[in-house]
Amino acid sequence: MALSFCGNDRGSNAYSVDKGVLDNGCFVDALNLVPHVFLLFITFPILFIGWGSQSSKVQIHHNTWLHFPGHNLRWILIFTLLFVHVCEIAEGIVSNTQMESNHLHLFMPALMGFIAATTSVVYYHNIETANFPKLLLALFIYWILAFITKMIKLWKFAEVSLGVQHLRFCITALLVVLYGLLMAVEINVIRVRKYVFFANPQRVKPPEDLQDLGVRFLQPFVNLLSKATYWWMNPLIIGAHKRPIELKKIGKLPIAMRALTNYMRLKDSYEEQRDPDKSPSIWKSMYRAFGGSILLSSTFRYMADLLGFAGPLCISGIYSSHVSHSNMIFGVYFMSSTELLQNTSVLAVLLFLALVLQRTFLQASYYVTIETGINLRGAMIYNKILRLSTSNMSMGEMTLGQINNLVAIETNQLMWFLFLCPNLWAMPVQIIMGVILLYYLLGNSALIGAGIILLLAPVQYLIATKLADTQKSTLDYSTDRLKKTTEILKGIKLLKLYAWDNIFCDRVEETREKELTSLKTFALYTSMSIFMNAAIPIAAVLATFVTHAYVEEVRLSPAKAFASLALFHILVTPLFLLSTVVRFAVKALVSVQKLSEFLQSDEIGDDSWRNTEMSISSLYGQMKRSYHVHSALCWFVSIILNPLVFVCIGECLIQVNDGFFTWGSNLSTLSDINIRIPTGQLTMIVGQVGCGKSSLLLAMLGEMQTISGKSSPLLDTRGFFKNRYSVAYAAQKSWLLNATVEENITFGSPFNKQRYKAVIDACSLQPDIDLLPFGDQTEIGERGINLSGGQRQRICVARALYQNTNIVFLDDPFSALDIHLSDHLMQEGILKFLQDDKRTVVLVTHKLQYLIHADWIIAMKDGSVLREGTLKDIQTHDVKLYEHWKTLMNRQDQELEKETEMESQTTLERKTLRRAFYSREAKNQIDDEDEEEEVEEDDDDNMSTTTSRRSKIPWKMCCRYLSSGGFLMVFLMVSSKLAKHSVMVAIDYWLAAWTSSNPHNQSLIAEVTSHCCFLFQMLSLHRSYVPVFIILCGAAIALCLITSLTVEFLGVAAATNLHHNLLNKIIHAPIRFFDVTPLGQILNRFSADTNIIDQHIPPTLESLTRSTLLCLSAIGVIAFVTPAFLIALVPLAVAFYFIQKYFRVASKDLQDLDDSTQLPLLCHFSETAEGLTTIRAFRHEARFKQRMLELTDTNNTAYLFLSAANRWLEVRTDYLGAVIVLTAAVTAIWTSSQSGLVGLGLTYALTVTNYLNWVVRNLADLEVQMAAVKKVNSFLSTESENYEGSMDVSQVPEDWPQHGEIKIQDLCVRYDTMLKPVLKHVNAHINPGQKVGICGRTGSGKSSLSLAFFNMVDVFEGKIVIDGIDICKLPPQTLRSRLSIILQDPVLFSGSIRLNLDPECTCTDDRLWEALEIAQLKNVVKALPGGLDAVVTEGGENFSVGQRQLFCLARAFVRKSSILIMDEATASIDMATENILQKVVMTAFADRTVVTIAVSYHISTFCWSI
C-alpha cells in the first residue's frame, strides 16, 4: 500500500477542510506534531554541541546532583507519558491495519511524541547535572504547546460524542492530564529557583554528601532511571574486572545512611516511649524510625506481585480469538478500549513491559528492605554496652557470650526479618489472586490443585522447623569436633612423642561420625524441602487437569492450560517462602524479647546513689563558696567518681565515710568503709584473696552500687596540673585491644616519644618488643600475636603509667610477673616514674615485701577495712597483724632466692615467643621467595591475562570437590537431573499436544452421525491423553525426589572424604609443619572451610544445576517451537556472558570486603564488653563509640555495595529474560505456530526470567565457596611424615630397649632440608641407668637433641644407637611408643584421668593407681567424683600447673620405658612440685636412664653427670 500521511482511501475526504480546519482529524493530528518537532529542533543542537561543560557554574565531582524541585515526580510522569505513548502507537498501528491505505497520522504523532518525551528527559538530566536551569524554559514552552494541541484534539473528540468506550479518547485524555502535570512541575521549578521572571535567582549549594569526595555510594542521589537500573554501579563493576575493589574505592556512606544518623533516629523513637508504668517497645521504635521505608518496600512488593499475574493473563489472551467491529469517525477507524488487548502483538509488548516493571519493582523492594535492615544494626546495643552496670556482668545476669550473641545473632535475625517482612502481607494477596484467576480459567477443578498446594504448605513448614533443629544439633557436634581438633593441634608434639596421634585422631573421627549422621539428617530434610518445592506444582497440575478432563465438559484449551501452569508456579513460590518467613518471624520475636531485656537492664548511672542527700550541684556550690577552687577541679567529681567517694586535689584526695557497696544483691559486698587516700602519695591496699580489695577500687571508680554512706571532702587550694583528667586504671585481669603494642599503651593519648620510652623501660617491655616481628607496631590482642599473661599485664600497666592523670589505680599488677620484673616495675615504674611526678597511686597487691615503700596502707578483711595507716602505725597499734605480715614476707623472700638461682618465668616467656617467630620467619622466608616468583610471573603477564585469571571459574576445584563425592554419586546426580528435566519438558509437550488436539477434524465429523455421538468421541479423544500424562507426572515427582537426594548426599560424601583426608594429612604431618604454620590457619581449615564444604556448597550446587538446566531446557523448547528465536539468541547470549563475567569478579571482591570488615566490628563489640571498667575509668566511651560507628559504617558500606551489585545483576538478567519472552512471543506470533506449542514456548520463556539471575548468583557463590575447597586441598598436598622404617617391627624385641644404653655418633640434625643444621657432629655415650643432664644457653640445640631421640627431626648425618639398634631404621611409631618424655609445658586433654594416663587402655587400674601414688596424686584423684574416670576439663584447667606436671610424670611412669627424657620439665613449676619430681626421679626411676635438659646448671639433684 502507498504511504500517505492522511491516507488515500477511495472516496475519502481526508484533505478536505470545508467544515473547518479543526474539523479535519488529519489536520488535528498534524497539529500535534508541532510541539514535538519544536522540542527536537531546540534541544538537539544544545545536547550535541557540548554546552554543558562551559556553562556549569558549580563544580561537583558527581554528575548526579539532584537540585531541581519535583525531580522524582517529573521522572514518574515522563515514564508514564512514555508508556501512554507506546499504547497510542500500538492503537494507531492496529487501527491502521483496518484501513484501505496507510494513514501515518494515526501513529506518526505518537511516535514523535515518544521520541520527544525521551529527548526531554535526557535534556532535563543534562541541565540538572550542569546546574543551568535557564535552559528549562524550552521544556516549559514544550509542555504548554503539547498541552494545548492535545486539548484541541480532546475537545474535537468530545464534539463528535466520542467517550471512554473509545481507546483513542482515553489515551488523549491521559496525555492532557500528563502534559498539564508536567507543566505544573515546570512552573514549580520557576517558582522555587526563580531562574526566570524574577530579579534575584535562588542560589543553591551542592548537598554536603556530594561535596565530600569520599562518598561513593550514590543510590540516594542519582536519577530515578539510574536508581531503578543501578546504572551508577557500572564503573565500579566494570572497573573491578581490571583492578580489585578495595575499601578506598567504595568510600564512605552518605550522612543519612551512616550509623550515627540511624542510631539517633532509633534512639529518639525509643526514648519517646519512656514511661514509668510501661517499658518501651522495640517494634514501635522500629516503626517510628523506619516505618516509611518498610511501607515503601511493601508498596513496591504489592505492585511487583500484581504485575506478576500479567504473564499468565497475556498467555491466555494471546490465543483467544477476537472479532473486529467497524467504527469509522473522521474517516478513520476508532478502536474500542477492550479491542487493543485482544491483539496478540500488543499483548506481547504489554507482557514485555509488565515483566520489566515487575522485576524493577521487585528489585526496588529488595533494596529498600535491605537498606532498612542494615540501618537497624548495632549502634543502639553498643551505646547500651558502654553504660551497662558492672553488677550485671559480675552477678552473671549478662555474660560476654550473651552480649556477643546479641550483636552477631539477634540483630541479624531482626535484620533478616525486615528483609522478609514485606512477604508477610504480600503473600496472602498473591495467593488469593492466584486462586481467583485459576478459578476464572478452569472452574471448580482449579480448586483441587489449589487445595493440594495449601494442604502441603504445613508439611513444608514442618520440614523447615526440622531443618532448623537439625542445624542446631549439627552445630553442637561441630563445636565438639572443633574442640577436640584444637586440643590435638595444641598437644600435637606430645601426641607424636608418645605415638598417640592415631588414637586421638580416632576420637575426632568418632565425633565427626556423629556430626555426619546429623549432616545426613540435615541433607535428608533439605532434600525433602527441595523435593516438595519441585513436586507440589506437578501434583497440583496433575490433579487439576485430570479432574478437568473428567468433570468439565468443556475441552481444555492451550491458552487456559499454559496460563494455569504459569499460575501454579506463581502460587507455589509464596507458599514455599511462607515457612521461611514464619520461622524468621518467630526468631525475630525471640530476638526482640532478648534485646528489650538487654536495653532495660541496669545502667551504671541508674543506682540509688543518685538520690543521696547531697546532690552534685549543691556539693559543687558548697565547694566553690567555701574553698574558691578552680572550676576545673570540680567536674572531676561529678563525672568520674561515685558521689559517695569524693575526689579532690589536696592533702586528702579521696575520702569515704560509712560506705556500703554491693554488686547488685541485697547483701553488701563492702560494708562500713571509712578510708582516706592522701594526695601525691603511694597507698597500698592489702588483704587475703577475696577480701574485697578489687571491689574497693571499683567502688571508688563508681562501678559498684551504693547502699548507703556519705562523703566528706577535704580540700586544698593548691590547684592541679591542667592537662590531667580521668583515672588511669590497670585491671587485675589484663585487657588488650586488637591493635598494635604502641596503640595499646598510648590508648588514644598524644604520642610523646620520651615519655613512651620511659614507660617501656619502666615496665621492662623492650626485650619483648624486640622479639616481635614488627616491634611495637605488631598487632596484638585476640586477632594478633598471642602474648603470655605477664607480657599482657605489663602492657596494661604501661598504659596506666603513660596516661597523664592525677590518679593511678593498679589492681594487683604483679600477679603474673616473676620477682625480677615485679621489683623492676616497683622501683622504676611506681616509686620512680609515678612518685617523682607527684601522682596519687592506689596499689592493690599481695607482695607484702613492698609495704615498706607505702605512704599509706589499707588492710582489708571480709569486705571491710581491718586497719588503715602507715606501716609504723600498724606496727605500733596492731602487733599481731604486723607479725603475720612479717612471716609472709620471709616466705616470699625464700621464693625470691629460688627464682634468682633458676631461670625466670620472663625468660621462658621470651624464649617461647622467640621460638614461635624463629619457626615462622623460616616459613615467611620460603613464602616470600614464592611470592617473588609469582610477582615476576605476574609482571610478565599483561593486563588482559591477569583479568582473565580473576574472571576464570575454578573448574579444577569443582572437579576436585565432585571427585571427593565419588563418581557413582556424580553419575547419579547428572543422569537424574537430565532425566528429570527431560521428563518435565515431556510433560509440558504432552500437555501442548493434548490441548491442541482438534476434535473438529473433517474425517471425524464425516463419521459421526449425531451430536451425542460426536460429544462422546470428542471426550474420549480428549481423555486418551490422561494416562500418559499421569505416568509422566508420576515419573517427574519420583525424579524430583531422586535428584534432590543425590545432590545433598553427594555433598555429604564429599564433606566426609575431604575432612577425613585433611585430618589424616594434618595429624601425620612432620612436627616442622606445626612450627611454621600458624595454629589459627590450620583451625580455619577445620572450622570455617569445613563448614562451607559441609553446609553451603551442596545447596548452591543444587540451585546452580537446577537453574542452569531450567534455562537451557526453556531456551531449547523455545528454539524448537520457533527456530527463528535462535537468531535473536546470539546477541542475548553475548550480553548474558559479559554481565555474568563482570558481576562474578565484582561480587567476589565485595563479598571479601564484607567478610573482612565484619570481623573487626564483632571483635570491637567483644573487646568493649570485656574492658568496660577500663574504658569507663579512662573516660574513653566517646572514642570507643566513634570507633564502633566507623567500623559499622565501613561494614555497612561493603554490604550495601554488595547488595547493590546483586540488584545490578538481577535487574539486567531480568530485563534479558523479558527480552527473551518478547522475542519468543513475537517470533511465535509471526511464524503462526501451533497454538499449544506457542503456549508451551511462552510458559518456558517466563521461567527464564525467574532463573536467569540465579544462574549467575549461584555461579558467583560457588566460586567464592570453592575457595574453601582450594584451601583444604592446599593442605592435602602436605608431605606426610615417613612412618615406614628400613627395619621391620617383628625384628625389634618386644622388651626393647631393655637396658637404656644410648650412643650418639657424629650426629648432625636439621629441621628442614632448606635450613641450616641445628646440631653438628655431636658425640656422646650414656650408660644404662645413668642420670645425665644436658645444659646450654637458649637456642644451643638442647630441645633439638631431645627431638632427635624420637626421630622427629631430619638426621642427615651420624646416628643414635639405643641398645644396639639405630633408631633411624625403626618405624617412628615403634620407636616413640618405647620411650617416655616429660615436656616443659604440661599437656592434659579433656576427657578422663584414665584417658590422659593410658589412652591405649592397655594398663590395669592397679598400675594407674600406682603411678598416681608415685606422683603423689592418689589422694587428689580419690577425692574426685569418679576416681580414675573423673573429668578433666579442656587443657586440664581444673588442676593447678603443678598438679598437671605431676600427671605428666605419672603418664611417663605408666609407660615403664627404660629411658626417660625430661625437657625443661621443672621450668614452670613451683618449689613443692619440683621437690616431688626430684624424689620420684631418684626412687621410681632409679633403674632407668634419665636424660634431663635444662638451661641452668641447677640440676645436680637430678643428674650424676652433666
Side-chain angles (χ1 to χ4, degrees), residues 278 355 424 436 476 504 552 657 957 1014 1035 1044 1090 1432 1434:
K278 197 168 69 171
L355 281 172
L424 273 178
I436 290 169
D476 292 340
F504 280 79
E552 305 287 339
N657 291 336
M957 284 305 110
F1014 166 72
S1044 59
T1090 299
V1432 178
E1434 189 175 356

Side-chain angles (χ1 to χ4, degrees), residues 555-615:
R555 186 178 68 87
L556 192 66
S557 66
K560 287 183 178 180
F562 287 102
S564 305
L565 202 61
L567 281 169
F568 275 121
H569 281 287
I570 289 173
L571 202 58
V572 165
T573 306
L575 288 168
F576 178 68
L577 271 175
L578 186 65
S579 57
T580 308
V581 176
V582 169
R583 206 167 77 247
F584 271 103
V586 171
K587 285 181 178 179
L589 288 169
V590 174
S591 297
V592 165
Q593 180 63 33
K594 289 179 181 177
L595 288 168
S596 296
E597 289 171 6
F598 175 70
L599 292 172
Q600 289 163 32
S601 58
D602 291 339
E603 294 184 6
I604 195 72
D606 289 344
D607 301 323
S608 57
W609 55 261
R610 283 190 179 277
N611 304 318
T612 50
E613 297 170 14
M614 189 179 291
S615 69

Side-chain angles (χ1 to χ4, degrees), residues 881-996:
L881 178 63
Y882 182 77
E883 288 299 324
H884 176 63
W885 284 355
K886 206 171 176 182
T887 309
L888 290 172
M889 277 190 246
N890 290 334
R891 195 176 300 168
Q892 286 173 355
D893 287 340
Q894 288 172 7
E895 286 181 15
L896 170 62
E897 286 173 15
K898 176 202 163 185
E899 286 201 25
T900 307
E901 290 178 355
M902 291 187 62
E903 185 179 23
S904 73
Q905 179 185 342
T906 313
T907 314
L908 293 170
E909 287 174 355
R910 286 174 185 158
K911 187 199 302 179
T912 307
L913 205 58
R914 189 184 297 113
R915 277 180 182 167
F917 288 120
Y918 169 74
S919 56
R920 214 167 283 178
E921 271 169 20
K923 163 82 168 169
N924 291 341
Q925 191 179 346
I926 295 163
D927 289 347
D928 289 343
E929 287 170 10
D930 292 343
E931 281 174 21
E932 280 170 20
E933 287 173 17
E934 284 174 18
V935 169
E936 284 170 15
E937 286 171 16
D938 288 348
D939 289 341
D940 294 338
D941 295 342
N942 58 21
M943 182 59 80
S944 60
T945 315
T946 311
T947 301
S948 65
R949 192 182 297 137
R950 289 192 74 229
S951 61
K952 195 177 178 184
I953 298 167
W955 296 116
K956 190 178 177 183
M957 284 305 110
C958 292
C959 294
R960 179 76 183 83
Y961 176 80
L962 292 172
S963 63
S964 299
F967 289 107
L968 177 64
M969 292 301 291
V970 173
F971 173 75
L972 278 173
M973 181 192 79
V974 173
S975 55
S976 62
K977 282 268 181 189
L978 291 171
K980 172 194 155 185
H981 285 278
S982 302
V983 171
M984 294 290 283
V985 171
I987 289 170
D988 294 333
Y989 181 79
W990 190 256
L991 186 63
W994 176 8
T995 53
S996 301

Side-chain angles (χ1 to χ4, degrees), residues 487-497 1067 1071 1074:
E487 277 195 330
I488 286 181
L489 293 173
K490 283 182 177 177
I492 190 70
K493 186 176 178 182
L494 178 86
L495 294 179
K496 283 184 172 293
L497 289 167
I1067 294 296
I1071 197 71
F1074 301 96

Side-chain angles (χ1 to χ4, degrees), residues 1137-1308:
Y1137 171 76
F1138 281 106
I1139 287 169
Q1140 64 84 30
K1141 184 179 179 182
Y1142 286 123
F1143 170 77
R1144 283 191 300 104
V1145 176
S1147 173
K1148 189 170 182 292
D1149 289 347
L1150 290 169
Q1151 185 73 57
D1152 290 343
L1153 281 180
D1154 179 46
D1155 293 341
S1156 64
T1157 53
Q1158 195 174 26
L1159 184 62
L1161 180 62
L1162 295 175
C1163 285
H1164 185 72
F1165 270 98
S1166 175
E1167 71 186 15
T1168 302
E1170 200 175 337
L1172 264 183
T1173 49
T1174 305
I1175 294 166
R1176 288 202 287 241
F1178 281 84
R1179 296 300 296 157
H1180 279 206
E1181 294 98 324
R1183 182 169 74 88
F1184 274 76
K1185 187 175 176 182
Q1186 181 59 35
R1187 176 66 179 150
M1188 187 282 306
L1189 292 170
E1190 288 169 5
L1191 290 170
T1192 305
D1193 282 338
T1194 306
N1195 182 236
N1196 286 357
T1197 308
Y1199 193 92
L1200 282 167
F1201 265 102
L1202 179 62
S1203 172
N1206 288 334
R1207 305 284 81 76
W1208 180 92
L1209 165 78
E1210 291 185 13
V1211 163
R1212 276 149 188 77
T1213 50
D1214 288 345
Y1215 289 175
L1216 269 182
V1219 172
I1220 289 171
V1221 172
L1222 177 66
T1223 312
V1226 170
T1227 50
I1229 291 162
W1230 288 354
T1231 52
S1232 305
S1233 298
Q1234 188 185 349
S1235 60
L1237 290 178
V1238 172
L1240 174 67
L1242 274 181
T1243 308
Y1244 269 86
L1246 282 174
T1247 61
V1248 171
T1249 316
N1250 292 324
Y1251 290 106
L1252 207 56
N1253 70 71
W1254 280 110
V1255 172
V1256 187
R1257 286 280 295 277
N1258 289 323
L1259 202 58
D1261 288 345
L1262 192 69
E1263 191 176 354
V1264 171
Q1265 289 162 6
M1266 279 299 157
V1269 180
K1270 189 177 181 181
K1271 289 174 187 173
V1272 168
N1273 195 52
S1274 68
F1275 273 31
L1276 292 179
S1277 59
T1278 305
E1279 190 179 339
S1280 294
E1281 206 174 356
N1282 182 16
Y1283 278 81
E1284 299 295 324
S1286 57
M1287 184 183 288
D1288 193 69
V1289 180
S1290 58
Q1291 295 177 296
V1292 183
E1294 283 187 17
D1295 58 347
W1296 180 89
Q1298 309 97 314
H1299 311 294
E1301 182 186 19
I1302 302 171
K1303 292 178 182 176
I1304 303 171
Q1305 299 172 0
D1306 202 28
L1307 185 69
C1308 295

